[in-house]
């Protein structure tokens, strides 16, 4: 169950749906948002933190605070009007501003002098990479989307759309107010928003200048490559995070997923391997569960770019439970991309400029690549991931840049086992919403 149209029916107006789930092994920093249409643009999002159990030690000292920093681009245009623009084949315009915790300026983060606080940064925006920094303070990275990392120290961090980072900040400067800054990256015009890092029991106001942001792509690539998995710290259970040696397993399949922005029927669409996704009336997961024929097939989507004309289609890739796969995200466009896969974390093993080649694997990090659920692909570049298909179900792989997702840059992985077992997949919940050709089906 996932909340996207491939697995769930949308919640009807004035309706409700209760989702019960167990976070279990997913200690870390996340956020939630609505996936239907362009509702995300209306601000329906929030932070979600999964804390460790008491018996699991944290790889950092006790903290004096735990803060959410939800940063993202913002549009004054109503979400319905944004949707209409996309439906007409027009791209999403440049945003009107940047928000930090819902404010263009003035959000507060409180700190105790001499103490360390945890700041959980998530880019909840629609399409823009943001750089996050705090005037006069260092950011010690300790966690990325549920994985503890080598504790590198940065002046600032590039946070791409859909990504989350956990950093430690020590209030070790003279007590006063300091600027927290989020500004756009890889844009011709730079938008900036500020918040306040406030030392308690002081009334010394903010002072300029703002800390500068990096300006080049190479800086961001080098930072991304420096983010590595901490193999010595405990995970959700008292054993090292790196006990699963991902780099020693040879992938049994390879997919090359190339994004594009074609015109189909005279309108802008976004596509993967020349197929622009359209949602069927019946969610894919319900069609699969109830054996409803004709909703999807496994022949629509090619596993590598075809080079043909772009077309509309319902892209579903067949995979067996526990397949171990390599996925290459190939970006031949001049804009940065961000990809998310539901239901899994994956290892970001490599990044490079230009076209991925068969010998590019020689540059892969097969020792301590970070495990996460969302990765960036730089302009005219590629990113490679390893993924263990260990979660049975129907899982969405999509652009985290929401207009691109809405206009077709997505697909689904159907992870299947012929054995129906509660050890492999829970039964369908009794309160599942039914729609399309699944309406009226019996839930036992």
């Amino acid at each position: 169950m996932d909340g996207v149209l491939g697995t769930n029916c949308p919640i009807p107006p004035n309706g409700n749906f209760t989702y019960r789930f167990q976070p279990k092994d997913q200690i870390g920093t996340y956020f939630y948002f609505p996936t239907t249409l362009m509702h995300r643009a209306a601000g329906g999002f929030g932070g979600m933190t999964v804390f460790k159990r008491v018996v699991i030690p944290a790889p950092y000292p006790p903290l004096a605070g735990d803060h959410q920093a939800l940063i993202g681009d913002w549009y004054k245009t109503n979400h319905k009007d944004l949707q209409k623009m996309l439906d007409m084949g027009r791209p999403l315009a440049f945003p009107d501003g940047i928000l930090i915790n819902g404010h263009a300026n003035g959000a507060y983060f409180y700190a105790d002098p001499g103490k360390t606080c945890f700041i959980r940064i998530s880019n909840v925006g629609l399409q823009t990479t943001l750089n996050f920094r705090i005037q006069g303070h260092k950011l010690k990275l300790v966690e990325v989307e549920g994985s503890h990392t080598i504790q590198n120290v940065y002046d600032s961090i590039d946070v791409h759309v859909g990504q989350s980072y956990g950093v430690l900040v020590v209030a070790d400067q003279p007590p006063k107010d300091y600027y927290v800054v989020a500004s756009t990256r890889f844009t011709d015009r730079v938008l900036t928003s500020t918040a306040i890092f406030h030392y308690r029991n002081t009334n010394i106001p903010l002072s300029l200048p703002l800390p500068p942001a990096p300006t080049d792509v190479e800086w961001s690539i080098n930072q991304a490559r420096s983010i590595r998995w901490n193999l010595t710290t405990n995970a959700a259970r008292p054993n090292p995070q790196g006990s699963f040696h991902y780099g020693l397993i040879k992938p049994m399949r390879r997919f090359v997923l190339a994004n594009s922005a074609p015109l189909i029927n005279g309108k802008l669409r976004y596509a993967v391997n020349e197929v622009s996704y359209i949602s069927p009336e019946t969610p894919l997961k319900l069609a699969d569960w109830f054996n409803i024929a004709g909703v999807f097939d496994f022949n629509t989507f090619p596993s590598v770019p075809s080079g043909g004309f772009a077309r509309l289609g319902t892209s579903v890739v067949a995979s067996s439970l526990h397949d171990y796969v390599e996925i290459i995200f190939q970006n031949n466009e001049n804009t940065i991309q961000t990809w998310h896969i539901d239901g899994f974390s994956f290892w970001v093993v490599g990044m490079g400029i230009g076209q991925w080649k068969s010998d590019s694997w020689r540059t892969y990090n097969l020792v301590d690549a970070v495990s996460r659920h969302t990765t960036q692909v730089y302009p005219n570049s590629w990113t490679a991931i390893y993924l263990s298909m260990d979660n049975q179900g129907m899982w969405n792989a999509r652009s985290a840049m929401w207009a691109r997702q809405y206009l077709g840059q997505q697909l689904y992985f159907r992870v299947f086992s012929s054995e129906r077992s509660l050890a492999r997949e829970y039964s369908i919940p009794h309160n599942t919403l039914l729609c399309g050709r699944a309406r009226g089906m019996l839930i036992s």
Side-chain angles (χ1 to χ4, degrees):
M1 213 180 247
D2 205 17
V4 291
L5 292 179
T7 56
N8 293 70
C9 299
I11 302 169
N14 300 311
N16 65 78
F17 178 74
T18 301
Y19 182 27
R20 294 180 175 88
F21 67 101
Q22 184 180 14
K24 203 173 180 179
D25 295 345
Q26 298 162 308
I27 297 168
T29 304
Y30 307 91
F31 68 96
Y32 61 86
F33 60 94
T35 61
T36 308
L37 305 177
M38 290 296 289
H39 291 172
R40 178 169 170 172
F45 44 73
M48 179 180 294
T49 301
V50 180
F51 292 102
K52 69 179 184 66
R53 295 181 294 154
V54 175
V55 297
I56 305 298
Y60 40 80
L63 304 172
D66 196 305
H67 307 287
Q68 292 281 352
L70 303 180
I71 60 177
D73 51 23
W74 183 254
Y75 291 80
K76 295 178 181 178
T77 305
N78 181 282
H79 72 92
K80 293 183 179 179
D81 292 330
L82 290 176
Q83 179 186 333
K84 290 177 182 177
M85 290 167 54
L86 294 172
D87 290 340
M88 291 189 296
R90 295 165 56 188
L92 207 59
F94 191 71
D96 296 300
I98 305 300
L99 299 184
I100 302 176
N101 288 351
H103 298 271
N105 294 286
Y108 271 82
F109 298 88
Y110 292 93
D112 295 307
K115 300 294 182 64
T116 300
C117 65
F118 202 122
I119 299 183
R120 303 176 184 274
I121 313 159
S122 296
N123 188 332
V124 297
L126 296 182
Q127 68 171 2
T128 312
T129 294
L130 300 176
N131 181 268
F132 181 90
R133 54 203 185 273
I134 300 178
Q135 184 184 38
H137 293 75
K138 301 291 186 179
L139 308 177
K140 178 182 283 188
L141 182 66
V142 297
E143 180 255 331
V144 172
E145 297 157 14
S147 294
H148 290 305
T149 62
I150 299 295
Q151 296 185 5
N152 295 330
V153 176
Y154 302 105
D155 292 324
S156 66
I157 291 181
D158 276 354
V159 188
H160 306 276
V161 178
Q163 292 186 337
S164 296
Y165 290 91
V167 300
L168 301 184
V169 180
V170 182
D172 57 0
Q173 297 300 303
K176 63 183 290 291
D177 286 350
Y178 294 89
Y179 280 107
V180 178
V181 185
S183 60
T184 57
R185 290 278 274 134
F186 318 117
T187 56
D188 292 334
R189 182 162 60 96
V190 176
L191 297 178
T192 301
S193 178
T194 62
I196 301 165
F197 191 68
H198 173 72
Y199 280 57
R200 297 183 192 275
N201 303 316
T202 182
N203 57 5
I204 302 177
L206 296 163
S207 59
L208 294 171
L210 298 181
T215 57
D216 60 300
V217 175
E218 184 178 3
W219 182 95
S220 188
I221 295 174
N222 289 336
Q223 181 177 78
R225 288 172 173 161
S226 74
I227 298 173
R228 296 177 293 130
W229 217 14
N230 186 337
L231 302 182
T232 62
T233 189
N234 290 331
R237 301 183 181 91
N239 60 286
Q241 290 188 131
S243 57
F244 185 98
H245 295 292
Y246 74 93
L248 300 179
I249 305 171
K250 184 178 180 180
M252 58 184 64
R253 299 180 68 185
R254 175 184 293 146
F255 300 94
V256 179
L257 305 182
N259 53 273
S260 59
L263 292 179
I264 301 178
N265 299 327
K267 293 183 178 181
L268 173 68
R269 296 283 301 185
Y270 297 106
V272 187
N273 293 0
E274 292 79 42
V275 182
S276 183
Y277 184 88
I278 51 174
S279 295
E281 182 184 28
T282 306
L284 305 173
K285 181 59 185 175
L286 294 183
D288 200 25
W289 185 268
F290 291 116
N291 295 314
I292 302 171
V295 176
F296 68 90
D297 60 55
F298 300 122
N299 300 317
T300 299
F301 185 78
S303 60
V304 297
S306 66
F309 291 106
R311 63 194 187 280
L312 302 175
T314 301
S315 304
V316 181
V317 176
S319 179
S320 296
L321 184 64
H322 298 304
D323 277 358
Y324 193 67
V325 303
E326 176 186 16
I327 299 176
I328 313 300
F329 296 112
Q330 180 67 55
N331 178 18
N332 297 324
E333 298 184 61
N334 294 324
T335 56
I336 193 166
Q337 303 290 317
T338 312
W339 278 91
H340 172 89
I341 301 181
D342 285 335
F344 304 95
S345 289
F346 48 74
W347 291 274
V348 184
V349 294
M351 296 178 177
I353 303 297
Q355 295 291 311
W356 181 89
K357 298 180 176 63
S358 58
D359 63 350
S360 295
W361 66 269
R362 298 181 187 277
T363 67
Y364 288 1
N365 176 358
L366 300 181
V367 177
D368 57 0
V370 72
S371 174
R372 64 187 313 167
H373 59 62
T374 303
T375 187
Q376 70 274 27
V377 191
Y378 291 97
N380 298 297
S381 299
W382 57 267
T383 294
I385 67 170
Y386 281 4
L387 170 61
S388 177
M389 297 284 191
D390 56 4
N391 192 4
Q392 186 165 317
M394 187 75 71
W395 302 110
N396 189 214
R398 63 174 179 266
S399 172
M401 305 165 91
W402 212 244
R404 298 187 73 102
Q405 177 274 156
Y406 177 74
L407 288 181
Q409 190 175 318
Q410 59 173 306
L411 63 141
Y412 282 82
F413 288 99
R414 187 243 199 177
V415 182
F416 180 73
S417 169
S418 58
E419 178 187 343
R420 276 204 176 180
S421 163
L422 292 178
R424 296 173 181 261
E425 184 178 30
Y426 291 147
S427 297
I428 186 170
H430 68 87
N431 64 336
T432 297
L433 301 173
L434 300 178
C435 57
R437 292 170 57 192
R439 195 183 305 275
M441 291 289 185
L442 180 64
I443 299 177
S444 58

